[in-house]
Amino acid sequence: MKLGKVEFCHFLQILALFLCLSGMNQAEITRSRSKPYFQSGRTRTKRSWVWNQFFVLEEYMGTDPLYVGKLHSDVDKGDGSIKYILSGEGASSIFIIDENTGDIHATKRLDREEQAYYTLRAQALDRLTNKPVEPESEFVIKIQDINDNEPKFLDGPYTAGVPEMSPVGTSVVQVTATDADDPTYGNSARVVYSILQGQPYFSVEPKTGVIKTALPNMDREAKDQYLLVIQAKDMVGQNGGLSGTTSVTVTLTDVNDNPPRFPRRSYQYNVPESLPVASVVARIKAADADVGPNAEMEYKIVDGDGLGVFKISVDKDTQEGIITIQKELDFEAKTSYTLRIEAANMHIDPRFLSLGPFSDMTTVKIIVEDVDEPPVFTSRLYSMVVSEAAKVGTIIGTVAAHDPDASNSPVRYSIDRNTDLERYFNIDANSGVITTAKSLDRETNAIHNITVLAMESQNPAQIGRGYVAITILDINDNAPEFAMEYETTVCENAQPGQVIQKISAIDKDDPPNGHQFYFSLTAEAANNHNFTLQDNKDNTATVLTKRNGFRRQEQSVFYLPIFIVDSGSPSLSSTNTLTIRVCDCDADGIAQTCNAEAYILPAGLSTGALIAILACVLTLLVLVLLIVTMRRRKKEPLIFDEERDIRENIVRYDDEGGGEEDTEAFDMAALRNLNIMRDTKTRRDVTPEIQFLSRPTFKSIPDNVIFREFIWERLKEADVDPCAPPYDSLQTYAFEGNGSVAESLSSLDSISSNSDQNYDYLSDWGPRFKRLADMYGTGPDCLYS
């Protein structure tokens, strides 16, 4: 079979190495001229066998064990009396020895990258005595490396970045490959780097693996990413060496090498004049091919007639220039504005200033569109005053509004009644004059805030609003009065001139200089012998006693009228009565009891105790009355006696018996009592012309007969009753069932019964009874004839 280039090279290397080492392995044992070694004696003799390192090639692929070397002792005469044994790393499992000849073989494929050498121990023994004839000695078997591992990039694949427009030779990244072969032997681990993909943009240093730029002015905006393939080859890159590759992704990072540019030299936008302040008018953007901070821009208005009306700011997210309104627009004042706007980069790289100015200019024209605006008042807030004494129709003030549009439509005025619910004011629709519509009271409402509406005559939907604050001026129309309800007491042991109460007054009015009140006793109370009043001249007064010896049993309450005058113009006055109670006081003058009845109360009982006792008695009386009333109440019968004439009452009973088994709903004794005489009771709502005799007394007969007779009596009552058609009432029967001998109980069948009653007289009762006459009469015009 033919060998490839690589396989042939490996074969030559192994063959040369084998030839170089074969002589050394064959001559590992050198004979010694010293005396034989005797273990039993104390005389130490020189060792009779020595050896050096053994070498064995890794990755042996043969079928037979690989010969490593030979051990031989001078003591061995070749007669088979000596045997050799091997111990240590890999003994018996990897390395075996022929105990007769001392030949060592490797039984497994060895890999230097797994273990580079093995340390073993060899000994020669007497075959008969199994005693060593030579001392045990240690030797090393070293695995000889071959180029069987390719270089590997342990950190690959790589990513790196380099600024765009970098000069040639700018370092990008360093790649490193490792080779597991023995770096101390041959060139198996000597790696050389080369670039397979990525030229002519990048290059790589063969020995260091540093990747560098190879072309100048690489532009990120043209291409921002490159994929490189780097190769590492051992054997110094010679033919037959093994190689490995990795990829390197190189990204060009941005630099500010592109100035901003507006796509258009001019822009035009239309905006309505009603657009509120701070509203966005337009968004413009200068294009910049850079990204990130290199594309950040600032905008400013550098010229134009709208410098104070508009402003421009930047949107940090989109880098757009946002034009907004700073002042209200007025089509009638100015119809258009022109702005010169500049956009400039915020972060400029001095290296690229030669590429031109990093700013640009454009023109923005803003056209103001006319809209129908509501009327505008000459003032946003009107302040007016009016006296609370003003009569209805008094003119308070005037408001004025006009249509700001070119048409200047007439304006009509009205008051928003939500701000004047009581309708205190009116306004003239044409002139805007505000007048009073009701009497005003400052004490009720001192300031009225109303809203005046101004509407265009041609377009009532356009409404302007003006605000009017009407202050009500005060007049002296309220008399002074006590500041509070005073509870004044005087002790029975009070001395003359003792202060018992200090009073003050209030006035709902609000004079400009404040209140000044004057206190005095009324004329009829001025000469009383009990109390006097002293005006303190500070809007207060003091009540004093004029004598001593007050007694509750003589007079428990005194009424002192006090006259109070204010300082208004004209002044107003009022008389207020101070109630003074005489009380029993303790030693400190604190009232204990103020009721005169306390003198006549029994000993040991207070007023509260007596009231509690009286309340309990009244409660018991009420309960007794309720119980008596409930017991006296009786259920009214359906049919009334003569003396209880109640007409035109409808009584409804939704109660029915429970049948044969119900023995509680109806009193059975009434049916079984044969001694009861049943009096005929007639209805009171009509007066029958025919009277009937009382029914006969019941006799003592069997139960069935009793029931039958009772039923027949009820049937006869219904048959002969001339007062009404079949009477809708609940008839209670003690016995009712299938096959009853009484048959049907309905009075509707009474016409077919054997009754001797003649109903022809119903025809004489008038048209109200005509229906009954037709039903029961026997004349030729009878309904059922």
Side-chain angles (χ1 to χ4, degrees):
M1 59 182 289
K2 293 184 178 181
L3 295 176
K5 230 182 229 187
V6 176
E7 289 80 358
F8 181 72
C9 180
H10 287 175
F11 175 75
L12 292 177
Q13 290 177 356
I14 294 172
L15 182 61
L17 183 62
F18 179 77
L19 293 175
C20 293
L21 297 178
S22 60
M24 182 179 65
N25 288 337
Q26 292 292 336
E28 284 297 328
I29 304 295
T30 57
R31 295 185 60 85
S32 175
R33 298 187 180 273
S34 62
K35 294 182 179 180
Y37 170 71
F38 298 98
Q39 191 172 6
S40 58
R42 292 188 176 183
T43 302
R44 184 176 180 274
T45 61
K46 189 177 180 179
R47 188 173 60 182
S48 300
W49 59 317
V50 295
W51 54 80
N52 296 325
Q53 283 186 337
F54 288 101
F55 292 89
V56 61
L57 287 175
E58 65 170 337
E59 304 295 344
Y60 172 70
M61 304 299 293
T63 57
D64 296 330
L66 177 63
Y67 180 76
V68 176
K70 184 180 182 68
L71 297 180
H72 188 73
S73 174
D74 291 342
V75 181
D76 186 3
K77 303 302 182 181
D79 54 1
S81 62
I82 302 300
K83 69 175 181 179
Y84 300 92
I85 60 173
L86 194 66
S87 63
E89 291 181 314
S92 300
S93 60
I94 299 176
F95 302 101
I96 59 174
I97 189 170
D98 189 325
E99 64 178 13
N100 297 316
T101 64
D103 293 336
I104 301 173
H105 291 81
T107 60
K108 292 183 178 180
R109 182 175 63 88
L110 301 176
D111 188 356
R112 190 203 66 83
E113 287 69 39
E114 292 182 3
Q115 187 165 347
Y117 61 89
Y118 294 85
T119 302
L120 293 97
R121 294 180 298 278
Q123 196 168 32
L125 302 177
D126 186 288
R127 187 179 297 275
L128 296 177
T129 62
N130 207 28
K131 292 181 179 181
V133 296
E134 295 283 357
E136 184 181 60
S137 184
E138 186 177 81
F139 67 96
V140 174
I141 299 178
K142 188 174 182 180
I143 309 304
Q144 188 67 48
D145 183 45
I146 64 172
N147 189 19
D148 59 342
N149 291 279
E150 73 278 2
K152 293 182 179 180
F153 293 91
L154 302 180
D155 298 327
Y158 296 84
T159 57
V162 63
E164 63 173 332
M165 312 298 288
S166 295
V168 175
T170 301
S171 177
V172 179
V173 69
Q174 183 178 18
V175 296
T176 302
T178 59
D179 196 316
D181 293 325
D182 188 359
T184 64
Y185 177 75
N187 296 324
S188 299
R190 296 180 62 184
V191 177
V192 174
Y193 300 95
S194 62
I195 184 167
L196 301 182
Q197 178 180 323
Q199 295 173 330
Y201 305 101
F202 298 93
S203 62
V204 62
E205 288 285 342
K207 294 182 179 181
T208 62
V210 175
I211 299 174
K212 298 180 179 181
T213 58
L215 284 181
N217 301 328
M218 285 191 291
D219 191 2
R220 185 199 66 84
E221 287 72 33
K223 185 176 181 181
D224 63 347
Q225 198 171 79
Y226 297 85
L227 180 62
L228 282 62
V229 177
I230 304 299
Q231 182 189 64
K233 190 174 183 181
D234 58 14
M235 300 299 292
V236 201
Q238 298 176 0
N239 290 336
L242 304 180
S243 65
T245 61
T246 188
S247 63
V248 181
T249 302
V250 180
T251 302
L252 297 183
T253 58
D254 186 55
V255 297
N256 192 6
D257 60 338
N258 293 279
R261 292 290 179 262
F262 284 105
R264 295 164 56 183
R265 292 292 92 191
S266 65
Y267 299 86
Q268 179 172 316
Y269 300 96
N270 294 353
V271 295
E273 62 174 333
S274 59
L275 201 64
V277 173
S279 298
V280 176
V281 174
R283 286 176 174 262
I284 60 175
K285 184 177 182 180
D288 191 330
D290 296 322
V291 294
N294 296 319
E296 291 181 358
M297 284 176 282
E298 58 180 354
Y299 297 85
K300 59 183 177 180
I301 301 174
V302 296
D303 196 8
D305 54 1
L307 287 174
V309 181
F310 302 94
K311 71 174 183 178
I312 189 168
S313 58
V314 63
D315 186 330
K316 298 297 184 181
D317 296 328
T318 62
Q319 297 301 316
E320 291 178 309
I322 305 173
I323 303 174
T324 55
I325 299 176
Q326 278 187 301
K327 295 182 179 179
E328 292 183 351
L329 302 178
D330 188 359
F331 173 81
E332 288 72 27
K334 190 171 181 61
T335 59
S336 66
Y337 297 89
T338 302
L339 307 174
R340 287 284 292 168
I341 296 177
E342 179 188 57
N345 278 139
M346 297 181 63
H347 309 287
I348 299 176
D349 193 334
R351 296 176 297 171
F352 306 105
L353 288 176
S354 60
L355 298 178
F358 282 78
S359 63
D360 197 17
M361 301 281 292
T362 189
T363 301
V364 177
K365 187 173 185 180
I366 299 174
I367 307 298
V368 180
E369 297 178 342
D370 187 25
V371 296
D372 192 4
E373 300 175 275
V376 177
F377 283 87
T378 56
S379 175
R380 292 186 60 85
L381 177 63
Y382 296 87
S383 296
M384 302 179 183
V385 295
V386 62
S387 173
E388 65 176 325
K391 296 181 179 179
V392 175
T394 300
I395 295 176
I396 303 174
T398 304
V399 296
H402 69 280
D403 182 9
D405 298 318
S407 59
N408 194 19
S409 301
V411 175
R412 294 183 62 83
Y413 303 94
S414 63
I415 294 177
D416 184 355
R417 292 303 176 184
N418 291 324
T419 61
D420 184 27
L421 297 175
E422 300 296 331
R423 295 181 175 268
Y424 284 108
F425 308 99
N426 287 330
I427 188 170
D428 187 276
N430 297 316
S431 64
V433 174
I434 299 175
T435 58
T436 58
K438 281 185 178 181
S439 297
L440 303 175
D441 186 8
R442 188 204 65 84
E443 288 71 35
T444 302
N445 193 353
I447 298 178
H448 294 264
N449 294 303
I450 63 174
T451 301
V452 177
L453 307 178
M455 294 175 289
E456 290 185 13
S457 299
Q458 298 179 359
N459 185 7
Q462 294 296 335
I463 301 175
R465 286 174 168 79
Y467 303 97
V468 182
I470 302 175
T471 302
I472 310 301
L473 299 179
D474 184 46
I475 63 171
N476 191 24
D477 58 345
N478 291 277
E481 58 187 13
F482 278 158
M484 58 181 293
E485 290 290 336
Y486 293 102
E487 296 182 358
T488 306
T489 61
V490 60
C491 295
E492 289 182 316
N493 56 357
Q495 300 299 317
Q498 182 175 332
V499 176
I500 61 172
Q501 185 67 61
K502 186 175 182 179
I503 60 175
S504 61
I506 58 172
D507 192 330
K508 295 181 180 179
D509 295 321
D510 187 17
N513 298 325
H515 290 288
Q516 181 63 49
F517 301 116
Y518 305 95
F519 300 87
S520 64
L521 295 178
T522 59
E524 60 271 16
N527 297 320
N528 78 91
H529 302 290
N530 301 310
F531 304 99
T532 185
L533 182 71
Q534 177 182 330
D535 192 341
N536 298 326
K537 306 300 182 180
D538 59 353
N539 291 339
T540 64
T542 304
V543 181
L544 303 94
T545 58
K546 294 179 67 175
R547 66 178 180 88
N548 57 5
F550 292 96
R551 295 291 181 268
R552 283 177 293 164
Q553 62 271 29
E554 295 177 0
Q555 185 174 349
S556 62
V557 179
F558 292 89
Y559 299 98
L560 185 65
I562 298 176
F563 187 70
I564 308 175
V565 182
D566 63 17
S567 59
S569 179
S571 61
L572 296 179
S573 63
S574 67
T575 300
N576 299 263
T577 301
L578 182 67
T579 301
I580 304 173
R581 298 184 180 277
V582 181
C583 298
D584 178 28
C585 301
D586 58 12
D588 296 328
I590 299 175
Q592 300 296 318
T593 304
C594 298
N595 295 327
E597 294 81 357
Y599 284 97
I600 60 175
L601 292 176
L605 288 178
S606 64
T607 303
L610 290 177
I611 293 174
I613 294 172
L614 182 59
C616 292
V617 172
L618 290 176
T619 304
L620 291 175
L621 288 176
V622 170
L623 290 175
V624 171
L625 289 175
L626 287 175
I627 293 171
V628 172
T629 303
M630 294 296 293
R631 288 185 176 181
R632 288 184 177 181
R633 291 184 60 186
K634 293 182 179 180
K635 187 176 181 182
E636 297 294 337
L638 293 178
I639 301 178
F640 304 99
D641 295 330
E642 291 286 345
E643 62 273 17
R644 300 179 63 193
D645 188 3
I646 300 175
R647 298 174 182 271
E648 297 180 359
N649 287 333
I650 298 176
V651 182
R652 178 177 179 180
Y653 299 91
D654 291 331
D655 186 19
E656 295 183 8
E660 295 179 26
E661 298 180 358
D662 188 358
T663 59
E664 297 178 1
F666 186 80
D667 187 7
M668 297 293 293
L671 290 176
R672 299 179 182 274
N673 190 355
L674 304 182
N675 299 321
I676 297 176
M677 290 297 293
R678 296 176 57 88
D679 295 334
T680 302
K681 296 186 179 181
T682 60
R683 289 176 56 184
R684 304 300 299 171
D685 53 343
V686 294
T687 304
E689 294 183 0
I690 301 176
Q691 301 293 332
F692 295 93
L693 298 176
S694 299
R695 297 185 182 88
T697 305
F698 290 102
K699 306 285 183 158
S700 216
I701 53 180
D703 285 349
N704 288 343
V705 177
I706 292 174
F707 295 155
R708 185 166 56 252
E709 287 295 330
F710 172 77
I711 293 171
W712 277 108
E713 286 292 330
R714 289 295 179 93
L715 181 60
K716 287 178 182 179
E717 284 185 25
D719 284 343
V720 300
D721 188 3
C723 304
Y727 187 54
D728 293 334
S729 64
L730 178 63
Q731 304 293 341
T732 305
Y733 301 94
F735 176 79
E736 182 176 350
N738 294 331
S740 173
V741 295
E743 299 177 350
S744 175
L745 304 180
S746 174
S747 61
L748 293 175
D749 293 336
S750 300
I751 189 171
S752 60
S753 63
N754 297 325
S755 175
D756 296 333
Q757 179 67 40
N758 185 5
Y759 294 96
D760 291 341
Y761 63 89
L762 294 175
S763 301
D764 301 330
W765 284 12
R768 294 179 62 186
F769 297 88
K770 185 177 184 303
R771 183 75 174 176
L772 289 176
D774 293 340
M775 293 173 62
Y776 293 96
T778 57
D781 297 332
C782 182
L783 182 63
Y784 296 103
S785 61

